[in-house]
Amino acid sequence: MVDERAQLEVKTLGESRIDSPLAALLRTGRTTQHYVDESDRVLLDDTVSLVAARGVPVEELPGFEPGGPRRKIFFDPSKTRVGIVTCGGLCPGLNDVIRALVLELTNHYGVRRIFGFRNGYQGMTARYGRSVVDLDASLVAGINEYGGTILGTSRGNQDPDEIVDCLEQLSVNVLFVIGGDGSMRGALKIAEVVAERGRRIAVVGVPKTIDNDIPYIERSFGFQTAFAKATEAIRAAHVEATAFPNGIGLVQLMGRHSGFIACYAALANNDADYVLIPEVPFSLDGPGGFLAHLRDRVVSRGHAMIVVAEGAGQEFLLDSASSLDASGNVRLQDFGRYLRHRIAEDFAAAGVEANLKYIDPSYTIRSVPANPYDSVYCIRLAHAAVHAAMAGRTEMVVGRWRGRFVHVPIALAISSRNLVDPDGDLWMSVLEATGQPPVFA
Ligand code: F6P
């Protein structure tokens, strides 16, 4: 049996001996409880029955290390040099995280040297010749008002040895990687090379993806902004669909393997009649298939609204050549356009009028600034990341678990993918809100 406690263990570069500069805050007496008692843990299970099923004493149950400031830290802030890199696809909130890291490091810890690497891991690889940016409070002022990342980004990992060479040349002690699962795989390799070379460089990740598919964290930053933005496309398509005879609104939303954006955006508007996601297979043809159901609904109700996640229905497009992107992800085929074509064909064959309006908001949902809720989350994740790194934690990402900020080993955060559970309550809500049948077979 796998020892879950060992899997949840976060690595430490060494014993923390330096008094935290945040002690001044502690002396006010108001923040005492926010300093973390090292023995405290955030349990993996949240119900008594799950705990009981393990049959082990509570003190031996697996749990994550809580995030937050420590009384003693590992790095001397006056000598600490920090690097920040943003990698992978864009996500609302990247600039919020960069800004909060810089402000927390400078204002609360007194770190004086922070380097920003340009265009992801390319900026840490000599042959790309990217210059390094000196980050300070004035440079990051107001950047959270903008989408994207001031550092730029790129997909794909680079040679971890070259990256560690770069960190050594700049005498960097702490590297913050803001990225998705592919970038975190890269971060893990960097941390491994650091360990092989016997260096004391903390590698701490802030996980990012609009798809919300990173496991062991309750939510990834940017997800909420992205699905909120996606609701605009659904609203527009619904207005169009209800204005024309036999109007059909079809909106395709990002979400490579996980349909969270499609489900949440559809629930937010509560106008969708169908939601198609990769986690729930469906048939298009035949009397019980999606097309026949859609036609019946349009004939009886006069309109219909469909939301599809881009990863849905890929099996219908298997004949098209597939390729990988720089991060190693399979490039998806355009199911939304295929479905639009199939609907038009099906209605024409049945002699039924159809007025279909197709909207694919694509990158517009992820290139926007974070909404206030995500901004708050970004700041708090960044604070947790800085506290963890200054205390010498490494090979970990910060996340939220059972309502607490926690330290999650990178290996665990990339060990699986969060998916919409077809038997879970989110999908149940979608079925209830849309009224679509549980299966199209
Ligand atoms: O992983 C986030 C995401 O936005 C997915 O929803 C989408 O499939 C993918 O990235 C597209 O990324 P790009 O076109 O930048 O490679």
Side-chain angles (χ1 to χ4, degrees), residues 149-202:
T149 155
I150 56 156
L151 295 176
T153 187
S154 66
R155 279 210 181 274
N157 287 320
Q158 303 293 335
D159 180 356
D161 272 297
E162 278 191 57
I163 289 178
V164 179
D165 289 345
C166 165
L167 295 174
E168 285 183 358
Q169 273 154 21
L170 293 169
S171 304
V172 166
N173 313 98
V174 171
L175 174 66
F176 291 107
V177 177
I178 313 168
D181 58 344
S183 320
M184 290 309 156
R185 276 175 230 286
L188 186 57
K189 289 199 184 116
I190 296 168
E192 283 164 3
V193 172
V194 165
E196 275 161 32
R197 294 190 191 180
R199 298 287 173 181
R200 292 185 161 193
I201 303 174

Side-chain angles (χ1 to χ4, degrees), residues 220-280:
S220 53
F221 77 81
F223 164 65
Q224 201 195 64
T225 305
F227 86 71
K229 184 74 187 159
T231 63
E232 293 173 14
I234 300 177
R235 191 172 308 118
H238 185 248
V239 168
E240 291 282 341
T242 50
F244 288 84
N246 286 5
I248 302 171
L250 173 59
V251 170
Q252 171 163 258
L253 297 174
M254 280 192 167
R256 197 182 270 126
H257 303 287
S258 306
F260 288 106
I261 297 173
C263 289
Y264 272 78
L267 286 174
N269 284 85
N270 204 2
D271 282 329
D273 304 300
Y274 302 98
V275 177
L276 303 177
I277 59 171
E279 295 92 331
V280 182

Side-chain angles (χ1 to χ4, degrees), residues 17-268:
R17 294 173 185 278
I18 302 165
D19 283 333
S20 169
L22 289 179
L25 274 182
L26 179 65
R27 277 196 296 274
T28 66
R30 283 191 303 235
T31 58
T32 315
Q33 72 272 26
H34 302 308
Y35 274 76
V36 172
D37 169 2
E38 307 278 344
S39 65
D40 193 11
R41 282 178 303 122
V42 179
L43 291 181
L44 190 62
D45 303 308
D46 66 344
T47 65
V48 173
S49 55
L50 283 171
V51 168
R54 292 183 187 277
V56 287
V58 172
E59 61 278 11
E60 286 175 28
L61 285 170
F64 289 118
E65 180 177 71
R70 269 58 186 170
R71 288 169 198 281
K72 299 273 180 196
I73 55 174
F74 179 75
F75 290 109
D76 177 349
S78 65
K79 297 183 190 136
T80 302
R81 289 170 157 231
V82 172
I84 301 177
V85 65
T86 50
C87 311
L90 289 182
C91 180
L94 288 166
N95 282 332
D96 299 64
V97 176
I98 295 170
R99 184 170 180 217
L101 289 173
V102 171
L103 294 183
E104 182 69 8
L105 285 161
T106 52
N107 295 347
H108 286 143
Y109 281 90
V111 171
R112 292 197 286 263
R113 211 64 212 276
I114 307 172
F115 304 108
F117 298 107
R118 292 184 196 270
N119 296 111
Y121 291 133
Q122 289 185 4
M124 306 173 75
T125 308
R127 88 189 124 93
Y128 289 95
R130 309 248 191 262
S131 57
V132 171
V133 196
D134 268 307
L135 293 171
D136 61 21
S138 63
L139 211 137
V140 298
I143 62 170
N144 47 315
E145 302 291 332
Y146 302 95
T149 155
I150 56 156
L151 295 176
T153 187
S154 66
R155 279 210 181 274
N157 287 320
Q158 303 293 335
D159 180 356
D161 272 297
E162 278 191 57
I163 289 178
V164 179
D165 289 345
C166 165
L167 295 174
E168 285 183 358
Q169 273 154 21
L170 293 169
S171 304
V172 166
N173 313 98
V174 171
L175 174 66
F176 291 107
V177 177
I178 313 168
D181 58 344
S183 320
M184 290 309 156
R185 276 175 230 286
L188 186 57
K189 289 199 184 116
I190 296 168
E192 283 164 3
V193 172
V194 165
E196 275 161 32
R197 294 190 191 180
R199 298 287 173 181
R200 292 185 161 193
I201 303 174
V203 180
V204 170
V206 182
K208 159 239 71 160
T209 166
I210 59 166
D211 291 358
N212 196 34
D213 59 357
I214 298 175
Y216 299 104
I217 64 169
E218 276 159 14
R219 195 180 79 250
S220 53
F221 77 81
F223 164 65
Q224 201 195 64
T225 305
F227 86 71
K229 184 74 187 159
T231 63
E232 293 173 14
I234 300 177
R235 191 172 308 118
H238 185 248
V239 168
E240 291 282 341
T242 50
F244 288 84
N246 286 5
I248 302 171
L250 173 59
V251 170
Q252 171 163 258
L253 297 174
M254 280 192 167
R256 197 182 270 126
H257 303 287
S258 306
F260 288 106
I261 297 173
C263 289
Y264 272 78
L267 286 174

Side-chain angles (χ1 to χ4, degrees), residues 407-427:
H407 299 165
V408 181
I410 294 182
L412 201 63
I414 58 173
S415 63
S416 59
R417 177 176 284 132
N418 256 3
L419 296 171
V420 175
D421 179 358
D423 297 318
D425 61 352
L426 173 61
W427 187 243

